[in-house]
Amino acid sequence: MSKVKLGRLVLAFGLTAATLIPIGCKNNSTATNGATGSTILVGEYGSLTGAQASFGISTNDAIQLATDQINAKGGIKGKKVVVKVEDDMGQPAQAATDVNHLIDDGAIAILGEVASSCSLAGGRVCQQRHIPMISPSSTNTAVTELGDYIFRVCFIDPFQAAVVARFAHDGLHATRVAIFTNKDQAYSTGFSENFKKAFTAMGGQIVIEKSYSSTDTDFRGALTAIKQANPQAILIPGYYNDAGSIARQARALGITCPLLGGDGWDSQDLFKTGGSAVNGCYFSDHLSIDDPSPRVRAFVTAFEAKYHHKPDALAALGYDAANLLFNAMERAPSLKPEDIRNAIAATKNFPGVTGNITINAQRNADKPAVIIKVENGKFRLAATITNPYAPLPPGSVKL
C-alpha cells in the first residue's frame, strides 16, 4: 500500500491517483455533507502504524480495492467514491480525534476500526454526530451497543468465544483450560469472559486465570504459574504480536499444550513474533482464505493482482464492509447520513466474501466461524462451526 505520513495528513484514494491531503485544509472538491458535488466522501480510520499495523494495512488495502472496483463501474448514483484515511496508530484517543476530523471534512459515512477499543472511541463520535459507521472486524459487543448508527460485518465475541470453547471441548477433548488475558484490551477481556462462560457451561474447568498489560514483554512469571496448573490448553485472546511472544516464552518454559486464540491472531506477522513456537496452535477466524468458493477466489485473485501477496481474513472483512456500505448507498433514497443508516440496517443476505451478511436488530452480522490451525508457517482450516451451542458433528474437525 502507499506510505502514510503521520500527523495531520490523510491518504485519499478513489479518484485518478492516491494523493496526500493536509486535513487542516478543507477539500473543496467535495461540497457540504461530502456528496453534493461529483464525488462521495467516505472516511476510514485505522492503525496503519503502531503495534497492530498489520490489521490496519490489510483492511485499508481491501477498502482501496473495493473503492477502485466500484469507481470502475461508474461509482454510486453517478458519483465517484473518495475514501480519506486517517492513521490512529492503534490509540483510542487518536481514533476519536481522527473521526471528528473526517466528519468535519464532510465524510457521510465511516469505515473502521479493527481494534474494539478504537471502534468504541470512534463510534461514540459517529453516534453523537449521526454519521453511520461500519466496523469491519471489531467483535466486542459494546461497539454496536453505542447506538443505532453503529454497525459491523463480523461476528461478535460471545459467538466467537463460544466457537473456541466448543472446539477446545469437542475437538481437542480438553476439560482443563487456562486463560491469559491482556487486561488493557476490550477485545481480550471480553473474549476471556465469554469463553469462560461458554466453556464452563459445557462442563469444562478454568484451572487458572492470569493477565498482562500491553506494555509487558516478560510473561515468564505468569506462564510459570499457568504451567503449574497443568492445563490441557491455554486461551490467549490477544493480538498476534502478543500471542507470538507469549508462545515463544511458553515453549521455552516447557509448556507443550495447544495455545488458543481469536481472530486477533490472523496476521502473517504471527510467524515473525512466534516462529515455530506457534505450530500446533489454533484460533477462530472469519474465513479460510483458501476457501474454494467463487466469491473468495475472485477476491483473492483481485487482491493478489493489486498487492502481490495473499489477503488475510481482516482484508476480506474490510472488503465486505466497504462493499456493503456502497451497496447501501446505492439503495438509499438519498445520500443523507440518515438514509444511508437506514439502508445499512435493512441489509439482507448481502453476498460478502466472508459469507452472506444480514444485519440483525442489534446491527450485528450473524455468520459461521472457522477454526484455523497454525502449521509449519501456514494457516490451515481445521473446522467450520455454525452453532457452537451444540456438540460438533462427528468428523467435522480436522486436527
Side-chain angles (χ1 to χ4, degrees):
M1 66 168 291
S2 300
K3 184 179 180 182
V4 179
K5 186 176 179 181
L6 295 181
R8 299 299 310 123
L9 289 179
V10 61
L11 180 64
F13 52 84
L15 293 173
T16 57
T19 309
L20 284 175
I21 301 173
I23 275 212
C25 302
K26 299 292 185 182
N27 180 2
N28 294 325
S29 67
T30 54
T32 303
N33 244 359
T36 56
S38 61
T39 59
I40 297 170
L41 183 63
V42 173
E44 178 198 348
Y45 68 113
S47 54
L48 300 177
T49 59
Q52 283 85 49
S54 174
F55 291 161
I57 292 169
S58 286
T59 303
N60 174 256
D61 283 350
I63 291 173
Q64 182 170 350
L65 174 62
T67 304
D68 290 347
Q69 291 176 337
I70 195 70
N71 284 335
K73 296 176 182 177
I76 298 170
K77 299 184 187 300
K79 301 174 186 286
K80 294 291 186 181
V81 178
V82 177
V83 178
K84 283 188 173 181
V85 188
E86 287 251 20
D87 177 16
D88 62 28
M89 300 171 283
Q91 302 298 319
Q94 186 62 46
T97 298
D98 288 346
V99 172
N100 264 314
H101 285 138
L102 288 167
I103 297 172
D104 286 345
D105 277 4
I108 60 172
I110 300 292
L111 294 168
E113 226 254 23
V114 173
S116 294
S117 296
C118 291
S119 284
L120 286 166
R124 290 187 187 96
V125 175
C126 288
Q127 183 62 35
Q128 290 166 1
R129 300 188 66 174
H130 289 179
I131 296 295
M133 178 186 113
I134 302 177
S135 168
S137 44
S138 288
T139 53
N140 188 284
T141 55
V143 172
T144 47
E145 290 170 357
L146 288 170
D148 60 347
Y149 274 76
I150 312 302
F151 301 85
R152 75 181 104 215
V153 295
C154 57
F155 46 61
I156 57 176
D157 279 339
F159 177 81
Q160 177 177 205
V163 164
V164 178
R166 178 59 67 186
F167 174 76
H169 187 272
D170 292 10
L172 298 179
H173 306 293
T175 57
R176 295 167 48 83
V177 172
I179 298 178
F180 195 21
T181 307
N182 184 332
K183 62 184 180 182
D184 297 336
Q185 293 173 351
Y187 166 77
S188 188
T189 57
F191 198 116
S192 293
E193 290 285 336
N194 287 301
F195 177 92
K196 181 179 179 180
K197 180 179 179 180
F199 191 67
T200 54
M202 296 171 193
Q205 178 187 2
I206 305 302
V207 295
I208 188 172
E209 295 182 67
K210 302 295 287 186
S211 65
Y212 63 95
S213 298
S214 294
T215 55
D216 290 345
T217 57
D218 187 345
F219 308 101
R220 289 174 294 181
L223 289 171
T224 297
I226 289 172
K227 181 181 179 181
Q228 291 172 348
N230 194 32
Q232 294 167 299
I234 304 171
L235 177 71
I236 307 170
Y239 296 134
Y240 60 89
N241 49 334
D242 293 343
S245 297
I246 292 169
R248 282 186 185 274
Q249 293 181 33
R251 299 315 186 208
L253 288 171
I255 296 174
T256 59
C257 66
L259 310 181
L260 308 175
D263 60 332
W265 283 31
D266 184 12
S267 171
Q268 289 298 309
D269 286 351
L270 178 68
F271 300 111
K272 294 180 182 178
T273 57
S276 62
V278 294
N279 281 337
C281 298
Y282 300 88
F283 64 92
S284 54
D285 213 346
H286 304 268
L287 87 165
S288 168
I289 213 66
D290 295 321
D291 189 319
S293 76
R295 280 186 216 163
V296 175
R297 299 274 44 89
F299 165 65
V300 171
T301 299
F303 191 96
E304 286 185 315
K306 185 173 180 64
Y307 299 111
H308 311 293
H309 64 85
K310 278 190 175 185
D312 54 22
L314 294 185
L317 287 168
Y319 188 76
D320 281 352
N323 280 317
L324 188 146
L325 174 61
F326 299 157
N327 176 268
M329 286 177 165
E330 192 64 62
R331 289 186 285 108
S334 79
L335 290 171
K336 295 179 180 179
E338 181 180 3
D339 286 341
I340 297 170
R341 189 223 77 87
N342 292 339
I344 297 170
T347 299
K348 305 292 182 186
N349 293 316
F350 175 78
V353 173
T354 60
N356 288 343
I357 300 172
T358 293
I359 301 298
N360 64 26
Q362 292 74 42
R363 297 170 302 283
N364 300 321
D366 296 323
K367 58 174 67 175
V370 298
I371 295 292
I372 301 294
K373 183 176 184 179
V374 185
E375 189 173 70
N376 299 321
K378 295 181 179 180
F379 295 150
R380 178 179 65 78
L381 179 65
T384 299
I385 299 177
T386 301
N387 180 13
Y389 308 105
L392 296 181
S396 62
V397 175
K398 297 179 181 179
L399 298 179

